[in-house]
Amino acid sequence: MSEHVAEHVPDGPGARTRNGVLRGALKDGVASFLGIPYAQAPVGELRFRAPQPAESWDGIREATAFGPTAPKRPYAPPLAALLPDPEVAGDDCLNLNVWAPWPATGPGGEGPGDGGRPVMVWIHGGSLVHGSSALPVYDGTTFARDGVVLVSINYRLGIEGFGVFPDAPTNIGLRDQIAALTWVRENIAAFGGDPDRVTVFGESAGAISVAALLASPLAKGLFRRAVLQSGSPTARSIAKARRTTEAIAARLKVPATAEAFARVDPERLLAAQTAVTDKGSPLISGNPFFIAVDGDVVPEDPGDALADGASADVELLMGTNTDEYRLWFVPGGQADRVGPLIQRLLLRKGQIASSTAKVYRERRPQEKPGEVLGAIVTDRLLRVPLNMLADFRLHSGKSATYLYEFGWPSPVLDLRACHALELGFVFDTLDLPETRALTGPDAPQDLATAMHAAWVAFATTGDPGWRPWDAARPVMTFGPGSPTLVEAPREEERLAWGG
């Protein structure tokens, strides 16, 4: 008898985890189990501490509503209208959700397939200060419909997840993610999933987190495949990552220690955090939070570690959107306010060579200086590092690497193929109001069907359906019309960055 045996509970699908029995909800052959604790509530003595294993319970625990979200503030206007960020009150924010095909077992009690169904674990983005698994765009029903067990997680954000203190562990939010993946390893068979066929995937800060997990010895063996959407391997030294913590401490007029921060009212702490971090964007300036190179969870810079062969045995799918920058530069008018002088100053601050800028200006003669700046920074921070990582992995000669680009242009506010636009396509949730805030009402369903199917195929077989990265540098482009495999680097990349 396989261990993939569903727990029989009245009035709903049931699953027995190591902590106790859960009762979820069932609709159209998909079971959902929401708000499952994977660690104890990070309050009291556990605040600013590494996650501790969840406590067990007696009887049947209801799992039909999303659990509390990590302390955060919504996006500021105008992004608030484009990026909904639901908040669920409560302390037990270290929780996750599972969507699974149901019944989870075959008629004789056997598990589906060889050991169970493929599993995908979603890590949301949000600059390490926003986001949660409760966003409707991330609903896992479509993945379960197509044979995948989908898990989405919450983790601590902002100062409580990525503050750097002398008296607390580093990278607490990343430790939360590892604890959630450990829970998946130990429990996912109860939902029909195969613990040896886990794909971890994330977007933006979620993708940066996935890259750090790829480089972390503490996450070794917790997943077999990975997807990076619009995020590249990046981290900072302890000293540099600590600067945002020090800036918040200065605003609060308290020492930059976990002990001092723990005495600050949570709402006051969030207000100070927002005041310090909301001045910039993920592309330029501001005081963002970073993953820290701490010698423990992240022993060295993730980019260096992956270039040196870390996780070379993990199959990797990664890519970017054509116009990432427009999400931050267009709605608030930043693209219009950046003139030639400010462009030059910002490029100099970013240590971008004048010869590089010249290439972009010559090939984008009709674009404003702010748009040219955004294109340069997008390539510098996202597209070029991912292509370089693919080159490094090609030389390792182990697992395959696949590249994509999302290029369908949204008509909303002339955002084009901006940051986060691909999410509704990957999750096949174009019909939701939260998705349409970015896509508008007429996004092509056939493109969502194709992109979603590629992610399902990658999680199932390790092959999304096109040729892996090789000397010809193939990139699957999901744009207007049918997905198209494009070879050779872009002219801008070849001339400006030596690609």
Side-chain angles (χ1 to χ4, degrees), residues 7-15 21-25 33 59-62 64:
E7 184 74 14
H8 294 289
V9 301
D11 303 321
V21 178
L22 296 166
R23 175 164 48 210
F33 299 84
I60 298 173
R61 182 186 180 106
E62 296 293 335
T64 55

Side-chain angles (χ1 to χ4, degrees), residues 425-496:
F425 292 81
V426 168
F427 278 84
D428 193 10
T429 51
L430 294 184
D431 58 335
L432 298 178
E434 292 83 359
T435 302
R436 291 182 175 183
L438 274 180
T439 66
D442 300 316
Q445 177 58 48
D446 58 343
L447 189 60
T449 299
M451 198 168 191
H452 174 76
W455 265 238
V456 169
F458 180 72
T460 303
T461 68
D463 182 352
W466 62 89
R467 198 171 78 249
W469 189 262
D470 57 27
R473 303 165 73 88
V475 177
M476 180 59 76
T477 301
F478 294 91
S482 301
T484 304
L485 193 65
V486 178
E487 297 186 354
R490 289 182 174 192
E491 193 73 355
E492 285 175 338
E493 182 186 343
R494 184 179 66 82
L495 294 174

Side-chain angles (χ1 to χ4, degrees), residues 107-119:
E110 71 276 8
D114 296 328
R117 296 183 174 95
V119 179

Side-chain angles (χ1 to χ4, degrees), residues 8-57:
H8 294 289
V9 301
D11 303 321
R16 179 177 292 277
T17 70
R18 295 194 177 190
N19 298 107
V21 178
L22 296 166
R23 175 164 48 210
L26 182 63
K27 183 179 180 180
D28 298 331
V30 172
S32 59
F33 299 84
L34 310 179
I36 307 169
Y38 65 82
Q40 295 181 43
V43 295
E45 293 182 355
L46 297 184
R47 197 177 178 203
F48 297 106
R49 291 292 177 260
Q52 298 301 305
E55 296 177 338
S56 297
W57 60 85

